[in-house]
Amino acid sequence: MTGLEGSIWRVGHGREIELGHRSTIMAIINVTPDSFSDGGRFETVDAAVEQALRAVNEGAGIVDIGGESTRPNAATVSPSEEQARVLPVIEALRGRTQALISIDTYRAETARLAIGAGAHIVNDVFGLQKEPDIADIAAVTGAGLCIMHTGRDRVKLVDVIADQVHFLERSLAIAAASGVNRDRIVLDPGFGFAKETAEENLELMARFSELSRFGLPLLAGTSRKRFLGAVTGREAQDRDAATAVTSALLRLQGAAVFRVHNVAINRDALDIADAMLNARQEFERKRPT
């Protein structure tokens, strides 16, 4: 796999985005007081909207709006509190950018309201397995789905790829049963989500290309994760360079979408990876058979 195979990701409100030929960045916008690296920085509507627009200007094609921290041991917020945080941001962004808007939630009602407010994509960190009604909502509205693998709240298989397949096949069965078309789906292997050691995350990176077996676009979300700190010794806010390296490496293994905090540094890294992949493809095209 070269990473340049093009596919169309169809999402809500009649929108679509081409994936593959150029890497796509999904900017993380945490409207929370307690996210692990930027909690409290963007918890007002104005701050969140300003950060989202800055991210788009730096090269993000998608902005991912979240109202509950997903870091380990984070406090759970009520559905009403989550909705009060994210819906005004989505409503404000809808009229100010052509970038796609994603709602980062595992709650079906939040997903429904967010799509109504203007979101095009639902990014579910429990892969449809906590509130499967999200799949029904996606099917009815035509929203795009990011289906993420997690090891939380269950016993994992020992082999990292076997566990990915075990979990994601169940998620895809839920989506299919609800009538979600496969051209609405992107898969995320969930770096850091109950992958407790640096070694487990690094093995998942090393074997990332094996996930091409699903025949679906892949999202990589390594941004500022703890395993990068274990390798580099850096604190969360100082892991953007390490994140950019992992983005480029995963691009070479077939990732199409990259969920990151710092758009600018990842855009540069991914532009280099894209250029190299294009050069490789051109060389293969010209090479005599």
Side-chain angles (χ1 to χ4, degrees):
M1 172 174 285
T2 66
L4 293 176
E5 291 80 3
S7 61
I8 300 298
W9 186 15
R10 303 190 192 282
V11 300
H13 305 291
R15 296 285 301 278
E16 62 184 39
I17 184 171
E18 184 178 0
L19 301 179
H21 293 293
R22 189 187 189 215
S23 51
T24 296
I25 290 181
M26 172 187 278
I28 299 167
I29 311 295
N30 289 318
V31 195
T32 59
D34 57 346
S35 292
F36 77 95
S37 75
D38 60 359
R41 291 189 61 197
F42 313 118
E43 63 177 320
T44 69
V45 173
D46 288 346
V49 169
E50 181 181 348
Q51 175 63 10
L53 295 175
R54 182 183 303 114
V56 172
N57 188 57
E58 291 176 346
I62 306 168
V63 289
D64 190 40
I65 315 299
E68 179 177 323
S69 174
T70 55
R71 65 178 173 82
N73 303 314
T76 301
V77 303
S78 68
S80 60
E81 176 64 21
E82 178 190 36
Q83 291 154 21
R85 292 174 179 179
V86 300
L87 295 178
V89 177
I90 294 169
E91 289 167 353
L93 284 171
R94 178 176 58 186
R96 298 186 62 182
T97 180
Q98 286 299 301
L100 298 178
I101 301 170
S102 170
I103 175 64
D104 179 0
T105 188
Y106 56 84
R107 293 188 175 97
E109 180 63 7
T110 300
R112 185 185 68 81
L113 292 171
I115 295 165
H120 306 91
I121 297 161
V122 180
N123 179 18
D124 183 357
V125 299
F126 280 95
L128 310 180
Q129 296 187 35
K130 197 172 185 75
E131 294 197 15
D133 287 351
I134 283 182
D136 295 330
I137 291 165
V140 169
T141 63
L145 279 179
C146 290
I147 295 176
M148 197 194 81
H149 171 281
T150 184
R152 293 180 181 177
D153 303 331
R154 65 184 184 85
V155 177
K156 297 187 298 180
L157 301 180
V158 173
D159 183 84
V160 295
I161 298 299
D163 194 68
Q164 291 279 328
V165 173
H166 172 75
F167 182 91
L168 292 173
E169 283 186 343
R170 182 181 178 197
S171 295
L172 290 170
I174 292 169
S178 293
V180 178
N181 292 331
R182 286 176 67 87
D183 62 2
R184 305 272 171 185
I185 296 172
V186 164
L187 298 181
D188 176 358
F191 286 98
F193 280 77
K195 289 84 171 169
E196 303 298 345
T197 65
E199 291 75 15
E200 186 175 0
N201 286 280
L202 291 167
E203 181 180 350
L204 182 55
M205 275 190 64
R207 299 177 63 188
F208 187 88
S209 62
E210 294 180 44
L211 299 175
S212 65
R213 67 197 296 161
F214 290 103
L216 290 167
L218 300 172
L219 182 152
T222 60
S223 192
R224 300 179 181 172
K225 291 294 175 74
R226 184 172 53 184
F227 81 95
L228 301 180
V231 173
T232 65
R234 296 189 181 276
E235 296 300 319
Q237 66 272 16
D238 297 320
R239 296 174 190 162
D240 289 335
T243 300
V245 172
T246 62
S247 292
L249 291 171
L250 290 166
R251 178 62 173 154
L252 302 185
Q253 292 210 64
V257 183
F258 300 82
R259 186 176 181 273
V260 302
H261 296 86
N262 185 324
V263 172
I265 191 171
N266 282 276
R267 183 72 275 164
D268 284 353
L270 288 165
D271 282 347
I272 295 298
D274 287 345
M276 194 217 76
L277 288 169
N278 276 294
R280 177 192 293 171
Q281 187 177 67
E282 185 66 12
F283 171 75
E284 294 292 340
R285 185 182 70 81
K286 292 180 177 178
R287 184 166 59 179
T289 56

